[in-house]
Amino acid sequence: MAEKIYWNEKMETISAEEQKALETEGLKKQLDYVYRMSPFYRKKFEEAGVNPDQFKKHEDLSRFPFTTKDELRKSQEEFGGLGGHQCAPISKIIRIQGTSGTTGRPLLIGLT
């Protein structure tokens, strides 16, 4: 059996500047992805007057809207299934996680 490696020296010793650059790149990819794949997020971004092309640095994230649990519940009511916030095709979803619904209707989240 192959030995598991728990220490990634390159990633765990990068400078704060390098880490911020990696985070910025990841955030940019995520914003692009949800904008392309989700009618919910595309509408939310457009209503806030932003699009993923406007994200250049960490500070730009404050221009993007927050999402609340109530909005996700409403999305499921409006679109059915996992809601309009679902970004992955159903064929990529391997698990559906549900909340208990103690603060309202249960919320279903598809995981890839």
Side-chain angles (χ1 to χ4, degrees):
M1 188 159 123
E3 181 180 332
K4 290 185 179 182
I5 299 173
Y6 295 98
W7 170 254
N8 180 333
E9 185 173 0
K10 180 181 177 195
M11 291 304 294
E12 295 187 44
T13 61
I14 63 174
S15 68
E17 183 178 290
E18 290 171 309
Q19 181 176 350
K20 192 170 185 178
L22 283 173
E23 290 171 356
T24 299
E25 180 183 328
L27 283 167
K28 172 71 173 153
K29 286 180 182 177
Q30 191 65 25
L31 292 170
D32 286 335
Y33 181 78
V34 300
Y35 185 82
R36 282 185 295 106
M37 301 300 289
S38 165
F40 170 83
Y41 285 109
R42 187 170 32 263
K43 180 180 176 191
K44 197 166 176 57
F45 287 5
E46 289 170 356
E47 286 175 351
V50 295
N51 70 62
D53 293 334
Q54 295 169 316
F55 182 81
K56 307 286 186 207
K57 57 187 187 292
H58 263 69
E59 294 75 18
D60 295 334
L61 190 58
S62 66
R63 298 175 52 212
F64 287 78
F66 284 99
T67 301
T68 67
K69 194 171 181 180
D70 284 339
E71 289 175 307
L72 298 178
R73 281 194 201 101
K74 185 177 177 187
S75 170
Q76 285 186 320
E77 290 172 15
E78 182 180 341
F79 290 91
L82 296 174
H85 56 280
Q86 175 184 329
C87 295
I90 198 72
S91 62
K92 299 279 185 185
I93 294 183
I94 61 168
R95 175 184 282 175
I96 296 177
Q97 189 78 31
T99 65
S100 65
T102 56
T103 61
R105 292 184 46 176
L107 178 65
L108 301 175
I109 302 291
L111 305 176
T112 57

